[in-house]
């Protein structure tokens, strides 16, 4: 297939990876740390509206935590996070337009769940990287590779720390039992530390004549280079017989593992 633009770089699968309109997401070099928190008595007091805060409350046997960030869609900004490994801690990441939220469930028996001070240590060790589209500047001392578009503007430099997609995970819950089988024991392993950048969230319902249960996709960090994907029933209520639904509501789930 012939090139149709001023510049086209294709990979072995004939997919264009760089062209003259190329824009890559560049790491701005900042690692964000949580600096403050708010403690609430119940989940109903959570108000996910402020940037760079975490809020939590204590249930009978776990800590329920909400972390929120603002995302600038005008520059295609992406916020990716990485957390200390603890197989009992579940992350429910959510991205809705310019709002990024993470709901974290930390059982008391988890490594950092035995006390409030331990919880704060755990939350302070979750790191975030921001990626965004910005104009590249030619390094003063040159670079290994610089690619220019037809206007002479640098669009790629091997000196930059780019967003590298290690794995793109996509699943549509067409059938509830299928979703459970796929999510239950899915483990992704990589050769380097990984960050999670969510695009959407998974939430679906299962109805029986007695109870309706809400399930959500969760991510667990098993190590700095591996994660586990699963589903977790986090809400159930008794049906009153007035209405109900059968099977699962179809929800699209997608996120990126980057490094």
């Amino acid at each position: 297939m012939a090139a149709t633009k001023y510049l086209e770089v294709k990979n072995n699968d004939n997919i264009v990876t760089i062209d003259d309109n190329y824009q890559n997401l560049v790491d701005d070099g900042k690692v964000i740390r949580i600096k403050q928190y708010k403690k609430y008595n119940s989940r109903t007091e959570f108000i996910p509206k402020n940037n760079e805060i975490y809020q939590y409350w204590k249930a009978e046997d776990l800590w329920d935590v909400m972390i929120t960030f603002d995302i600038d869609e005008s520059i295609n900004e992406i916020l990716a996070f990485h957390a200390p490994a603890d197989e009992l801690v579940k992350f429910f990441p959510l991205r809705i337009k310019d709002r990024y939220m993470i709901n974290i469930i930390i059982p008391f028996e988890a490594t950092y769940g035995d006390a409030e001070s331990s919880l704060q240590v755990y939350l302070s060790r979750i790191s975030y990287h921001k990626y965004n589209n910005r104009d590249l500047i030619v390094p003063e001392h040159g670079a290994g590779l610089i690619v220019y578009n037809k206007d002479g503007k640098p669009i790629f430099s091997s000196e930059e720390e780019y967003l590298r997609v290690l794995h793109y995970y996509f699943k549509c819950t067409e059938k509830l039992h299928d979703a459970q089988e796929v999510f239950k024991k899915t483990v992704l392993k990589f050769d380097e530390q990984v960050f999670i950048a969510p695009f959407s969230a998974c939430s679906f319902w299962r109805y029986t004549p007695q109870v309706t249960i809400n399930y959500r996709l969760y991510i667990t960090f098993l190590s700095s280079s591996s994660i586990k994907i699963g589903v977790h029933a986090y809400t159930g209520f008794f049906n009153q017989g007035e209405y109900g639904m059968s099977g699962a509501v179809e929800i699209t789930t997608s996120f990126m593992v980057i490094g």
Side-chain angles (χ1 to χ4, degrees), residues 162-229:
Y162 288 106
L163 170 75
R164 290 174 293 162
V165 180
L166 304 179
H167 189 93
Y168 181 75
Y169 192 89
F170 176 88
K171 177 62 184 176
C172 190
T173 58
E174 297 175 357
K175 295 181 180 179
L176 181 64
H177 68 272
D178 178 60
Q180 287 178 308
E181 291 302 315
V182 170
F183 290 147
K184 187 181 297 182
K185 295 182 180 179
T186 301
V187 177
L188 304 180
K189 296 182 179 181
F190 303 92
D191 295 329
E192 55 189 306
Q193 181 170 299
V194 298
F195 287 78
I196 305 298
F199 278 10
S200 61
C202 176
S203 183
F204 56 94
W205 299 84
R206 183 175 67 181
Y207 170 78
T208 68
Q210 295 80 30
V211 179
T212 299
I213 301 175
N214 192 347
Y215 290 84
R216 290 176 65 181
L217 171 77
Y218 73 85
I219 297 170
T220 298
F221 285 85
L222 302 179
S223 70
S224 63
S225 59
S226 64
I227 60 173
K228 179 174 67 175
I229 306 162

Side-chain angles (χ1 to χ4, degrees), residues 11-135:
N11 61 16
N12 291 337
D13 297 321
N14 205 35
I15 297 175
V16 176
T17 57
I18 300 177
D19 61 20
D20 50 301
N21 294 316
Y22 180 78
Q23 283 189 318
N24 207 339
L25 290 168
V26 179
D27 189 351
D28 65 5
K30 296 179 181 178
V31 178
I32 304 170
R33 298 286 183 181
I34 298 295
K35 299 177 182 178
Q36 56 181 319
Y37 67 91
K38 296 181 179 180
K39 185 177 180 180
Y40 292 111
N41 295 319
S42 72
R43 174 179 255 279
T44 58
E45 297 180 39
F46 282 170
I47 304 177
K49 65 179 182 179
N50 296 320
N51 196 29
E52 202 171 339
I53 67 170
Y54 62 84
Q55 311 164 80
Y56 67 87
W57 71 283
K58 183 178 179 180
E60 291 184 1
D61 57 354
L62 55 81
W63 302 96
D64 196 352
V65 181
M66 180 75 75
I67 299 178
T68 70
F69 286 90
D70 294 319
I71 298 296
D72 189 346
E73 284 196 302
S74 67
I75 57 174
N76 256 351
E77 190 173 57
I78 287 181
L79 182 73
F81 75 95
H82 179 85
D86 192 320
E87 193 166 356
L88 296 178
V89 177
K90 293 180 173 63
F91 292 82
F92 302 94
L94 174 62
R95 165 83 185 268
I96 302 179
K97 294 185 176 180
D98 58 352
R99 171 60 51 186
Y100 180 96
M101 293 173 281
I102 310 175
N103 184 201
I104 310 175
I105 303 300
I106 305 179
F108 292 164
E109 64 265 28
T111 304
Y112 295 93
D114 59 341
E116 185 172 337
S117 57
S118 298
L119 169 72
Q120 293 180 22
V121 169
Y122 183 82
L123 296 175
S124 68
R125 290 181 178 174
I126 301 175
S127 60
Y128 306 85
H129 281 255
K130 277 192 176 183
Y131 295 81
N132 57 67
N133 282 333
R134 61 178 171 83
D135 292 335

